[in-house]
Amino acid sequence: MEHEILHADARLRRTTVVVLAVAALLLAIAVVAFHRWFSAASEATEVPTLILHVRAMTGLALMASAMCLAALAWHSARSARRTRASGQWPPLGARVVRDTPILRGDAARRRATLLTTIAVLLTLLTAGVAAIGMRLLSLLG
Protein backbone atom coordinates (compact mmCIF):
# COMPACT_ATOMS: atom_id res chain seq x y z
CA MET A 1 0.00 0.00 0.00
CA GLU A 2 1.47 3.33 -1.05
CA HIS A 3 1.20 6.24 1.37
CA GLU A 4 0.29 9.75 0.37
CA ILE A 5 3.14 12.13 1.21
CA LEU A 6 3.11 15.81 2.15
CA HIS A 7 6.35 17.09 0.67
CA ALA A 8 8.74 19.29 2.59
CA ASP A 9 8.59 23.06 2.20
CA ALA A 10 12.14 24.10 1.27
CA ARG A 11 11.61 27.70 2.37
CA LEU A 12 10.29 26.61 5.79
CA ARG A 13 13.26 24.26 6.15
CA ARG A 14 15.74 27.08 5.41
CA THR A 15 13.94 29.41 7.80
CA THR A 16 13.98 26.75 10.52
CA VAL A 17 17.71 26.12 10.09
CA VAL A 18 18.45 29.86 10.25
CA VAL A 19 16.30 30.39 13.36
CA LEU A 20 17.87 27.42 15.14
CA ALA A 21 21.38 28.56 14.21
CA VAL A 22 20.69 32.09 15.51
CA ALA A 23 19.19 30.65 18.72
CA ALA A 24 22.24 28.42 19.24
CA LEU A 25 24.57 31.37 18.67
CA LEU A 26 22.63 33.54 21.12
CA LEU A 27 22.70 30.75 23.68
CA ALA A 28 26.47 30.36 23.30
CA ILE A 29 26.93 34.13 23.71
CA ALA A 30 24.71 34.10 26.82
CA VAL A 31 26.68 31.22 28.38
CA VAL A 32 30.01 32.97 27.75
CA ALA A 33 28.66 36.28 29.07
CA PHE A 34 27.30 34.61 32.20
CA HIS A 35 30.60 32.81 32.78
CA ARG A 36 32.55 36.06 32.47
CA TRP A 37 30.12 37.91 34.72
CA PHE A 38 30.16 35.14 37.32
CA SER A 39 33.97 34.97 37.35
CA ALA A 40 34.26 38.73 37.88
CA ALA A 41 31.38 38.91 40.36
CA SER A 42 32.63 36.00 42.46
CA GLU A 43 35.90 37.84 43.05
CA ALA A 44 34.38 41.28 43.66
CA THR A 45 31.13 40.46 45.47
CA GLU A 46 30.46 38.94 48.85
CA VAL A 47 28.91 35.48 48.78
CA PRO A 48 25.43 36.41 50.11
CA THR A 49 25.07 39.15 47.49
CA LEU A 50 26.36 36.85 44.77
CA ILE A 51 23.79 34.22 45.80
CA LEU A 52 21.00 36.80 45.44
CA HIS A 53 22.21 37.77 41.95
CA VAL A 54 22.48 34.15 40.80
CA ARG A 55 19.07 33.38 42.31
CA ALA A 56 17.56 36.31 40.38
CA MET A 57 19.17 35.21 37.12
CA THR A 58 18.02 31.63 37.66
CA GLY A 59 14.47 32.80 38.41
CA LEU A 60 14.39 34.92 35.26
CA ALA A 61 15.80 32.06 33.18
CA LEU A 62 13.15 29.72 34.54
CA MET A 63 10.40 32.23 33.74
CA ALA A 64 11.73 32.53 30.17
CA SER A 65 11.82 28.72 29.94
CA ALA A 66 8.22 28.56 31.19
CA MET A 67 7.17 30.94 28.42
CA CYS A 68 8.85 28.70 25.83
CA LEU A 69 7.17 25.60 27.30
CA ALA A 70 3.81 27.40 27.22
CA ALA A 71 4.33 28.21 23.53
CA LEU A 72 5.10 24.54 22.82
CA ALA A 73 2.00 23.44 24.75
CA TRP A 74 -0.14 25.90 22.79
CA HIS A 75 1.31 24.68 19.48
CA SER A 76 0.71 21.04 20.40
CA ALA A 77 -2.89 21.73 21.48
CA ARG A 78 -3.52 23.75 18.30
CA SER A 79 -2.07 20.98 16.13
CA ALA A 80 -4.26 18.41 17.89
CA ARG A 81 -7.36 20.56 17.37
CA ARG A 82 -6.53 21.11 13.68
CA THR A 83 -5.83 17.39 13.21
CA ARG A 84 -9.21 16.45 14.71
CA ALA A 85 -11.00 19.09 12.62
CA SER A 86 -9.37 18.05 9.34
CA GLY A 87 -9.31 14.30 10.05
CA GLN A 88 -5.72 14.00 8.94
CA TRP A 89 -2.14 14.46 10.11
CA PRO A 90 -0.48 16.78 9.17
CA PRO A 91 -3.59 18.95 9.24
CA LEU A 92 -4.84 20.60 6.07
CA GLY A 93 -2.75 23.64 5.16
CA ALA A 94 0.25 22.53 7.24
CA ARG A 95 3.79 23.01 5.97
CA VAL A 96 6.46 20.50 6.98
CA VAL A 97 10.26 20.57 7.09
CA ARG A 98 10.60 16.99 5.83
CA ASP A 99 8.52 14.69 3.66
CA THR A 100 5.75 13.38 5.92
CA PRO A 101 3.31 10.54 5.32
CA ILE A 102 -0.30 11.69 5.64
CA LEU A 103 -2.32 9.85 8.30
CA ARG A 104 -6.11 9.67 8.15
CA GLY A 105 -8.87 8.10 10.20
CA ASP A 106 -7.88 6.22 13.37
CA ALA A 107 -4.18 6.95 12.87
CA ALA A 108 -4.87 10.70 12.70
CA ARG A 109 -7.11 10.52 15.79
CA ARG A 110 -4.36 8.68 17.69
CA ARG A 111 -1.90 11.40 16.65
CA ALA A 112 -4.33 14.08 17.85
CA THR A 113 -4.69 12.27 21.19
CA LEU A 114 -0.90 12.05 21.53
CA LEU A 115 -0.58 15.77 20.78
CA THR A 116 -3.27 16.58 23.36
CA THR A 117 -1.45 14.46 25.96
CA ILE A 118 1.80 16.24 25.16
CA ALA A 119 0.05 19.62 25.48
CA VAL A 120 -1.29 18.68 28.92
CA LEU A 121 2.13 17.46 30.10
CA LEU A 122 3.82 20.59 28.78
CA THR A 123 1.22 22.75 30.52
CA LEU A 124 1.91 20.98 33.82
CA LEU A 125 5.65 21.36 33.29
CA THR A 126 5.11 25.05 32.48
CA ALA A 127 3.26 25.55 35.76
CA GLY A 128 5.99 23.79 37.74
CA VAL A 129 8.85 25.67 36.12
CA ALA A 130 7.04 29.00 36.49
CA ALA A 131 6.28 28.26 40.16
CA ILE A 132 9.94 27.52 40.88
CA GLY A 133 10.98 30.66 39.00
CA MET A 134 8.47 32.77 40.93
CA ARG A 135 9.65 31.24 44.21
CA LEU A 136 13.27 32.11 43.44
CA LEU A 137 12.28 35.66 42.49
CA SER A 138 10.15 36.04 45.63
CA LEU A 139 13.15 35.17 47.82
CA LEU A 140 14.88 38.33 46.63
CA GLY A 141 12.89 40.72 48.44
Side-chain angles (χ1 to χ4, degrees), residues 4 13 47 51 98 127:
E4 190 177 353
R13 187 184 310 201
V47 172
I51 289 171
R98 66 181 199 156

mmCIF file of all heavy atoms in Angstrom, residues 4 13 47 51 98 127:
data_model
loop_
_atom_site.group_PDB
_atom_site.id
_atom_site.type_symbol
_atom_site.label_atom_id
_atom_site.label_comp_id
_atom_site.label_asym_id
_atom_site.label_seq_id
_atom_site.Cartn_x
_atom_site.Cartn_y
_atom_site.Cartn_z
ATOM 1 N N GLU A 4 0.277 8.390 0.905
ATOM 2 C CA GLU A 4 0.289 9.747 0.373
ATOM 3 C C GLU A 4 1.286 10.552 1.211
ATOM 4 O O GLU A 4 1.346 10.413 2.436
ATOM 5 C CB GLU A 4 -1.114 10.336 0.496
ATOM 6 C CG GLU A 4 -1.290 11.639 -0.232
ATOM 7 C CD GLU A 4 -2.728 12.137 -0.138
ATOM 8 O OE1 GLU A 4 -3.604 11.419 0.379
ATOM 9 O OE2 GLU A 4 -2.947 13.271 -0.584
ATOM 10 N N ARG A 13 12.069 24.956 5.672
ATOM 11 C CA ARG A 13 13.260 24.257 6.154
ATOM 12 C C ARG A 13 14.429 25.224 6.319
ATOM 13 O O ARG A 13 15.108 25.222 7.345
ATOM 14 C CB ARG A 13 13.638 23.133 5.190
ATOM 15 C CG ARG A 13 14.771 22.272 5.718
ATOM 16 C CD ARG A 13 15.199 21.224 4.737
ATOM 17 N NE ARG A 13 14.043 20.482 4.249
ATOM 18 C CZ ARG A 13 14.116 19.280 3.706
ATOM 19 N NH1 ARG A 13 15.271 18.689 3.567
ATOM 20 N NH2 ARG A 13 13.044 18.670 3.278
ATOM 21 N N VAL A 47 29.678 36.678 49.112
ATOM 22 C CA VAL A 47 28.915 35.481 48.779
ATOM 23 C C VAL A 47 27.400 35.678 48.917
ATOM 24 O O VAL A 47 26.647 35.315 48.004
ATOM 25 C CB VAL A 47 29.411 34.258 49.591
ATOM 26 C CG1 VAL A 47 28.497 33.055 49.397
ATOM 27 C CG2 VAL A 47 30.840 33.918 49.191
ATOM 28 N N ILE A 51 24.884 35.202 45.790
ATOM 29 C CA ILE A 51 23.794 34.221 45.796
ATOM 30 C C ILE A 51 22.488 34.881 45.356
ATOM 31 O O ILE A 51 21.725 34.307 44.559
ATOM 32 C CB ILE A 51 23.659 33.568 47.185
ATOM 33 C CG1 ILE A 51 24.845 32.635 47.424
ATOM 34 C CG2 ILE A 51 22.337 32.808 47.313
ATOM 35 C CD1 ILE A 51 24.927 32.097 48.835
ATOM 36 N N ARG A 98 10.145 18.214 6.518
ATOM 37 C CA ARG A 98 10.597 16.991 5.828
ATOM 38 C C ARG A 98 9.388 16.273 5.267
ATOM 39 O O ARG A 98 8.258 16.477 5.728
ATOM 40 C CB ARG A 98 11.401 16.095 6.764
ATOM 41 C CG ARG A 98 10.608 15.534 7.885
ATOM 42 C CD ARG A 98 11.463 14.684 8.787
ATOM 43 N NE ARG A 98 10.587 13.816 9.557
ATOM 44 C CZ ARG A 98 10.944 12.684 10.078
ATOM 45 N NH1 ARG A 98 12.165 12.238 9.916
ATOM 46 N NH2 ARG A 98 10.094 11.973 10.751
ATOM 47 N N ALA A 127 3.689 25.072 34.432
ATOM 48 C CA ALA A 127 3.256 25.546 35.756
ATOM 49 C C ALA A 127 4.329 25.284 36.805
ATOM 50 O O ALA A 127 4.615 26.161 37.639
ATOM 51 C CB ALA A 127 1.946 24.871 36.152
#
